[in-house]
Every structure is written in structure tokens, then in C-alpha cells.
Amino acid sequence: MEEEIDEEEEMMYPDVFMKLCSIIREKTHLEDTRYICVEEIVATFLIIVGHNDKYCNVRQRFGRSHFATSQNFNKTLKALNTIASDMMVKPSTGIPTKIQESIRFMPFFKDCIGAIDGTHIPAMVTGREVSSFRNRHGMQSQNILVACNFDLQFMYVLSGWEGSAHDSKLLNDALSRRNGIHVPQGKYFLVDCGFANRRQFLVPLRGVRYHLKDFSGQGRHPRNASELFNLHHASLRNVIERIFGVFKSRFTIFKTAPPFPFQTQAELVLACAGLHNFLRKECRSDEFPAEYE
């Protein structure tokens, strides 16, 4: 029993877990069954996505059948997807603290509200769709488009696109949706060179050094204004790489292709993104990777 509690606490403190269950009770249709309470149903889901545990191990832990374990997982997934959009952080019209408190970024990036990029998550598909889900590395994946703020919180997540799809295609899709990415008037997101330079999206200057590793080491400081701009752009946009790292480390189920139908795989990304925002808000003591300076 102590071992089980320790493993669960690695992901969430008991009081935070109880608060999550209360929110799910209040805002979704998930409720106690005759034999299983909401807390156990949610715990089943968290163990599977947090530790990439198999159904057979989880069913032994709780003394449930394979069917009950699968049902508990899917019930929680459905409940979390119901409230996931509400858990996304809304774009701010003010100046982010990270920019406001830095002479490197202020006032040059004062209208920037976050960063946008895509990331690949292993996927499992069958049939004729296999070829379209192969990314440039030859692996099956789904391409996820993410917008985040500088506090490592998700603002928007678009999942379900095949691994061969280009990031710019995902962005166009997100912009065309009724509940897609919203950019407040006069604000913009930072993006890399894979996207087009528009009023709402700022790309780095082409033809000069950009990546942070290009400036690391003795004698590799920016040599002109263009390189200095790209260095500051890359330093600020690095938040998107950090949130990808935190997300995949927190939910280890995404380190391999989840063994579910593809629709479930896509829904799982959104549910866990909402969970990440909840944990970021409630567990401020979490350790996050140090920023490059």
C-alpha cells in the first residue's frame, strides 16, 4: 500500500488529487458507481498515463477485471475532454512577466504572448493510413500543434494530424476552426522558420544564425543586429521546447505509441494537456528544466 501511495504522489499531491476529483464530479457526468468511486476511476487513468502502466498491472492493483479497468480509463478520458477546453489558458492582453522583467526582451517583444510549434507523438495506425502517418524519420506519429504562454501553460492544442503533415498546414487548420487559435488585436506568437511570417506570427530572420546552440561557446556571440534579434527570439521561443519536454516526461504514455484506437490516441493528448495546466496551477513546486541563458 505504501508503495502505491508513493507512486501516485510522484505525479500529484493528495489534496491536489482530491481537488481534481471534485472538479470532475461537479463539471462532468462522471460519478460513483455501485462498487467504484470517482477517486478510484480517476486514479486508474492517472497511473496509466503517468507511468505508462499496462491494464494487467492496474487491474491487479485495484482488484478489478480487465473490462472494469478499461471502462474506468475511458470514462475519465471522456470526462477530462469535456472540460479540457476550459482548462486551456486564455491569451493575455497585458505584457507577460517574463518579458516585462527582462532588458533582453523589453520593449522589443512587449506584444508577444507566447510561442507556437508542432511536436510528434508516437502513433499506432493500421491499414491504408500507415504511409501518411510516417514522419520524416520513417516512424508512425501524430503531429500535434501547440500554443503556450511563458508560464509553461497550454493555450491551445490541436491533435490528430498525421505525422507527414507540415506544421504550417496544422496552423491553417487551427486558424480556420470556430474554436481555434485566437490572437488578440495587436498581439502575436513566436514561431520558427517552418511557418509563414504574418502579422500575428513572428518568425526569425532568415539567412543568419538562429538556434541557441549556434551561439553557445567561446567566441560565438552575435556579430550583428540580425543575429542578436535571432538569439533573443530563440531564447524566448525556447519555452515551447521546454513545455514539450515537461509534457512528455510527466505523461510517459506518450514515449511509445498508446495501444488504443487512433481517435482515443488523439483525445488523450488534449486530456493530458488539460491535466498539465491543472497541475501547473496547483503544484507550483514542480521542478521544470532550467532555461538556457
Side-chain angles (χ1 to χ4, degrees):
M1 179 62 72
E2 290 182 3
E3 183 180 349
E4 293 179 10
I5 292 174
D6 289 343
E7 289 184 5
E8 290 176 21
E9 286 183 347
E10 287 177 10
M11 183 174 181
M12 191 179 300
Y13 297 112
D15 59 323
V16 176
F17 171 74
M18 296 306 296
K19 184 172 182 178
L20 174 64
C21 292
S22 296
I23 292 173
I24 291 176
R25 283 181 189 274
E26 294 170 7
K27 297 186 176 182
T28 74
H29 297 296
L30 189 63
E31 56 186 15
D32 298 340
T33 66
R34 184 175 180 182
Y35 300 107
I36 307 177
C37 63
V38 165
E39 286 74 17
E40 181 182 328
I41 296 173
V42 174
T44 298
F45 179 87
L46 294 179
I47 291 170
I48 292 172
V49 300
H51 301 285
N52 197 19
D53 220 344
K54 307 302 180 186
Y55 275 1
C56 58
N57 295 331
V58 178
R59 57 180 284 194
Q60 289 177 3
R61 169 175 293 187
F62 292 105
R64 304 295 179 187
S65 66
H66 183 92
F67 174 78
T69 302
S70 173
Q71 201 171 42
N72 290 343
F73 177 88
N74 285 287
K75 281 181 177 180
T76 308
L77 175 62
K78 183 178 180 180
L80 287 173
N81 272 313
T82 301
I83 58 176
S85 59
D86 295 331
M87 300 174 84
M88 296 294 111
V89 177
K90 301 299 184 289
S92 173
T93 56
I95 301 175
T97 303
K98 180 181 178 67
I99 295 175
Q100 199 169 24
E101 296 180 349
S102 173
I103 59 173
R104 291 190 300 158
F105 308 132
M106 188 67 186
F108 316 107
F109 296 95
K110 64 181 178 64
D111 293 322
C112 180
I113 57 174
I116 290 178
D117 203 0
T119 188
H120 288 263
I121 288 178
M124 184 182 296
V125 294
T126 57
R128 291 178 296 179
E129 294 183 327
V130 170
S131 59
S132 64
F133 277 87
R134 293 196 184 280
N135 56 35
R136 59 192 178 91
H137 299 293
M139 308 295 292
Q140 288 186 33
S141 68
Q142 59 167 313
N143 195 358
I144 313 299
L145 184 76
V146 164
C148 74
N149 63 14
F150 296 111
D151 196 31
L152 292 174
Q153 295 172 308
F154 291 109
M155 303 171 73
Y156 180 81
V157 175
L158 176 63
S159 60
W161 273 89
E162 57 269 21
S164 61
H166 195 275
D167 290 345
S168 59
K169 189 174 183 179
L170 273 68
L171 180 58
N172 288 334
D173 180 26
L175 290 171
S176 66
R177 293 179 179 240
R178 183 172 60 86
N179 296 321
I181 293 177
H182 170 67
V183 187
Q185 184 70 28
K187 301 294 183 178
Y188 62 85
F189 284 97
L190 297 179
V191 294
D192 64 17
C193 291
F195 298 89
N197 199 18
R198 315 184 193 183
R199 180 180 301 175
Q200 299 169 315
F201 308 102
L202 181 64
V203 302
L205 298 173
R206 303 175 190 273
V208 294
R209 290 184 295 169
Y210 173 68
H211 298 288
L212 291 178
K213 63 181 180 180
D214 296 334
F215 297 98
S216 62
Q218 188 175 4
R220 307 189 72 180
H221 300 297
R223 295 169 298 198
N224 51 51
S226 296
E227 289 192 351
L228 181 62
F229 170 81
N230 274 8
L231 173 59
H232 289 169
H233 186 290
S235 298
L236 203 53
R237 199 191 68 85
N238 190 48
V239 68
I240 197 80
E241 305 298 339
R242 294 180 66 212
I243 200 171
F244 287 152
V246 171
F247 182 75
K248 293 176 182 179
S249 296
R250 171 170 274 162
F251 303 105
T252 59
I253 192 170
F254 296 123
K255 291 191 174 181
T256 56
F260 305 114
F262 183 74
Q263 182 62 34
T264 301
Q265 297 176 50
E267 292 173 352
L268 199 55
V269 174
L270 182 60
C272 289
L275 265 179
H276 167 90
N277 280 3
F278 172 80
L279 292 170
R280 181 63 174 144
K281 178 182 177 182
E282 300 294 333
C283 304
R284 298 299 296 189
S285 60
D286 282 357
E287 292 186 6
F288 287 83
E291 287 188 80
Y292 174 87
E293 290 293 344

